[in-house]
């Protein structure tokens, strides 16, 4: 099958209790595609400025990521600056410079349009909708979102939500969107809006995947040193969708395994700043941790 | 084997988004022993005033709970009043009237002193220590605690901690006690202080049991309507210890299963106010939910 992801490619300036990094490569599309690349050859859609490192583009190519949909335009790459406290879930955005991302109008190359799986990372819901108009009969469309869009464009967001098969979001975002404090109720409410599955990301507490008559809970890998939580959610999505694209099945059994692979990929991402850990990661390491996850919960 | 639990028996006045109940029966010893009674015949140690309901004492007897160690003294039973917000983890104590609990000096009846398992619920650590001086070679001693004692009697608490095999506490309490924000680090730090196992209760996120070269994560049952969270932690302890007492083994396999039974019992407790759900609960219901827990995490 084939997997298309649309999202951001960025420079991130990040401060965590473990240090500070200036303008390292990040962005939802970056984390997602690198995580997915262990299972399939994701096709990315995004925009960067002329300052985006050639080495990162080479890395994408080396990892089998299709960069036909990556536009390099005059100007500066999107820049995000954030800070994390002792609790990795507490994130403060210090600065956002949209730069070339401001005028981003994603266009799918022709051979992307017949993608089987589509992942709409947390970009403007109107852009997400534009993408959906460009794809022909995908087998599964998933979307992610962030608080910003829930607050600023709830109407557009709900319109996209009705069209997707799977909704990824953080616990807080799902509670905000549904105005429910109970996560199970919130998940059920979202299932009535359109998606067949809702994947609720809970940071150090793992994730919950809900569907009609289906509920699966996956843990986060116990991690002593969360060096940099940036990209954990996108890595979860990338591992999840990449695995589904590989196995060509959306059975409950494979959805469960996809969620575990998603959590495994996220657990590696947070072990170092930026995409460093994903760069050095190997499939045997992923498979080993998958088995550790089994041991962690079996009784 | 045999299991002794020392803790509080109380009247609780509780307000949750689902309603208000005045002076219903509660207390750590009450929840723990009712939960444990599905697996074994727990022996309770505690004190109540003359106002404590005869029906509750009859209930204990009906459930096979040994009440030799329950003292009924002139005066009023301990009374706690609390309120929960929409988030069941947000608890505010409105009032605490110690009453007869103020002069509680727990004394073990002679046939309690050879108990195999001892559970010291969240009472004053000096009283917990007194209890330990009265038992002869127990096979496993577990303790629980609350923020109050971590803040007011850290020295006494650490002294007891060194003597026990298993430490039960909430996530926030463990972080406070160890001054660590990372739970895995916090757990490892506690394992160096004495206990062989640490059971970290995480509310809706379940629990983590850590030991030397051992880590097991158990979920909370997905619950849409948390009617009253009071007693969830004590029910977890009761299910856990009751099961261990029944199977007469502390193997890693049984520790895992004990944690799941603990979580199962807690999940029933929160389905109604006070001990109502535990009163109506049957073993087949417990076993059914145990299997549901398996399904929830298997992949």
């Amino acid at each position: 099958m084939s997997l298309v992801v649309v999202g951001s490619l960025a420079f991130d300036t990040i401060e965590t209790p473990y240090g500070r990094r200036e303008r390292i490569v990040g962005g939802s599309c970056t984390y997602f595609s690198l995580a997915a690349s262990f299972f399939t050859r994701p096709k990315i859609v995004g925009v960067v400025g002329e300052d985006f490192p050639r080495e990162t583009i080479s890395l994408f190519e080396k990892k089998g990521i299709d960069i036909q949909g990556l536009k390099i335009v005059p100007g500066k790459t999107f820049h995000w600056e954030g800070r994390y406290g002792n609790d990795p879930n507490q994130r403060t955005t210090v600065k956002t410079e949209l730069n070339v991302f401001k005028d981003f109008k994603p266009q799918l190359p022709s051979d992307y349009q017949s993608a089987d799986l589509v992942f709409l990372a947390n970009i403007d819901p109107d852009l997400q909708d534009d993408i959906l108009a460009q794809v022909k009969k995908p087998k599964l469309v998933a979307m992610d979102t962030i608080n910003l869009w829930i607050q600023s464009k709830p109407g557009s967001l709900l319109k996209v939500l009705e069209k997707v098969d799977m909704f990824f979001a953080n616990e807080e975002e799902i509670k905000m969107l549904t105005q429910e404090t109970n996560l199970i109720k919130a998940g059920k409410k979202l299932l009535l809006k359109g998606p067949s599955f809702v994947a609720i990301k809970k940071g150090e507490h793992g994730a919950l995947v809900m569907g009609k008559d289906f509920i699966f809970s996956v843990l986060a890998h116990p991690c002593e040193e969360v060096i940099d939580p940036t990209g954990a959610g996108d890595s979860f999505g990338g591992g999840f969708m990449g695995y589904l694209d590989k196995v060509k099945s959306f059975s409950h059994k494979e959805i469960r395994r996809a969620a575990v692979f998603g959590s495994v990929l996220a657990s590696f991402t947070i072990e170092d700043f930026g995409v460093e850990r994903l760069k050095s990661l190997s499939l045997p390491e992923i498979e080993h941790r998958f088995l550790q996850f089994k041991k962690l919960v079996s009784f």
Side-chain angles (χ1 to χ4, degrees), chain A residues 5-9 27-30 45-47 101 104 119-123:
Chain A
V5 50
V6 190
S8 62
L9 297 104
S28 55
C29 183
T30 307
V45 180
V47 65
F101 203 70
F104 181 44
F119 187 79
L120 308 166
N122 54 26
I123 57 174

Side-chain angles (χ1 to χ4, degrees), chain A residues 71-83:
Chain A
K71 270 196 188 160
I72 305 174
V73 301
K76 283 181 166 182
T77 299
F78 175 46
H79 177 222
W80 174 78
E81 184 172 340
R83 198 183 290 145

Side-chain angles (χ1 to χ4, degrees), chain A residues 173-217:
Chain A
E173 289 153 0
I174 291 213
K175 287 179 177 173
M176 184 189 283
L177 184 59
T178 58
Q179 300 190 288
E180 284 286 349
T181 49
N182 181 288
L183 215 49
I184 312 297
K185 271 192 187 167
K188 285 193 175 174
K189 227 171 169 176
L190 284 171
L191 290 171
L192 295 175
K193 305 268 185 203
S196 306
F197 292 97
V198 176
I200 308 172
K201 297 176 283 184
K202 304 192 292 177
E204 64 171 321
H205 302 297
L208 195 64
V209 185
M210 294 177 66
K212 198 173 171 296
D213 304 320
F214 174 79
I215 184 161
F216 175 65
S217 194

Side-chain angles (χ1 to χ4, degrees), chain A residues 56-123:
Chain A
T56 305
I57 294 175
S58 303
L59 172 69
F60 289 155
E61 289 178 314
K62 208 183 101 197
K63 294 279 186 183
I65 296 169
D66 187 338
I67 57 164
Q68 266 187 88
L70 176 63
K71 270 196 188 160
I72 305 174
V73 301
K76 283 181 166 182
T77 299
F78 175 46
H79 177 222
W80 174 78
E81 184 172 340
R83 198 183 290 145
Y84 298 88
N86 281 323
D87 176 352
N89 296 320
Q90 286 171 345
R91 171 157 89 176
T92 313
T93 290
V94 177
K95 207 191 291 176
T96 304
E97 295 163 339
L98 288 177
N99 300 332
V100 299
F101 203 70
K102 201 165 55 187
D103 302 314
F104 181 44
K105 291 271 173 291
Q107 272 192 313
L108 297 199
S110 59
D111 74 325
Y112 278 40
Q113 294 170 10
S114 54
D116 298 297
L117 280 81
V118 177
F119 187 79
L120 308 166
N122 54 26
I123 57 174

Side-chain angles (χ1 to χ4, degrees), chain A residues 22-272:
Chain A
E22 303 271 349
R23 304 178 68 80
I24 56 175
V25 169
S28 55
C29 183
T30 307
Y31 283 104
F32 181 97
S33 60
L34 286 173
S37 73
F38 292 96
F39 305 103
T40 188
R41 299 170 76 88
K43 299 170 185 294
I44 63 175
V45 180
V47 65
V48 295
E50 285 160 333
D51 56 354
F52 198 71
R54 278 176 183 272
E55 308 90 75
T56 305
I57 294 175
S58 303
L59 172 69
F60 289 155
E61 289 178 314
K62 208 183 101 197
K63 294 279 186 183
I65 296 169
D66 187 338
I67 57 164
Q68 266 187 88
L70 176 63
K71 270 196 188 160
I72 305 174
V73 301
K76 283 181 166 182
T77 299
F78 175 46
H79 177 222
W80 174 78
E81 184 172 340
R83 198 183 290 145
Y84 298 88
N86 281 323
D87 176 352
N89 296 320
Q90 286 171 345
R91 171 157 89 176
T92 313
T93 290
V94 177
K95 207 191 291 176
T96 304
E97 295 163 339
L98 288 177
N99 300 332
V100 299
F101 203 70
K102 201 165 55 187
D103 302 314
F104 181 44
K105 291 271 173 291
Q107 272 192 313
L108 297 199
S110 59
D111 74 325
Y112 278 40
Q113 294 170 10
S114 54
D116 298 297
L117 280 81
V118 177
F119 187 79
L120 308 166
N122 54 26
I123 57 174
D124 184 329
D126 290 329
L127 296 185
Q128 292 179 321
D129 204 34
D130 282 351
I131 297 290
L132 288 186
Q134 296 175 48
V135 288
K136 300 168 191 156
K137 295 192 186 172
K139 293 192 174 74
L140 187 142
V141 176
M143 73 180 289
D144 198 342
T145 198
I146 48 172
N147 290 349
L148 174 65
W149 309 121
I150 298 173
Q151 286 163 326
S152 64
K153 291 196 170 184
S156 299
L157 181 65
L158 286 171
K159 194 176 146 199
V160 186
L161 189 65
E162 284 173 14
K163 300 180 185 177
V164 304
D165 306 291
M166 192 174 279
F167 182 63
F168 284 76
N170 289 339
E171 184 173 0
E172 300 74 34
E173 289 153 0
I174 291 213
K175 287 179 177 173
M176 184 189 283
L177 184 59
T178 58
Q179 300 190 288
E180 284 286 349
T181 49
N182 181 288
L183 215 49
I184 312 297
K185 271 192 187 167
K188 285 193 175 174
K189 227 171 169 176
L190 284 171
L191 290 171
L192 295 175
K193 305 268 185 203
S196 306
F197 292 97
V198 176
I200 308 172
K201 297 176 283 184
K202 304 192 292 177
E204 64 171 321
H205 302 297
L208 195 64
V209 185
M210 294 177 66
K212 198 173 171 296
D213 304 320
F214 174 79
I215 184 161
F216 175 65
S217 194
V218 59
L219 292 158
H221 187 254
C223 178
E224 267 183 76
E225 311 263 344
V226 181
I227 304 295
D228 173 14
T230 312
D234 301 308
S235 304
F236 175 79
F240 197 117
M241 297 287 286
Y243 176 77
L244 287 184
D245 194 49
K246 178 188 172 186
V247 297
K248 302 175 178 56
S249 160
F250 311 125
S251 70
H252 283 184
K253 186 191 154 202
E254 296 299 4
I255 295 274
R256 288 164 182 268
R257 293 168 61 95
V260 178
F261 277 114
S263 191
V264 166
L265 265 299
S267 76
F268 281 114
T269 290
I270 63 177
E271 289 181 355
D272 203 346

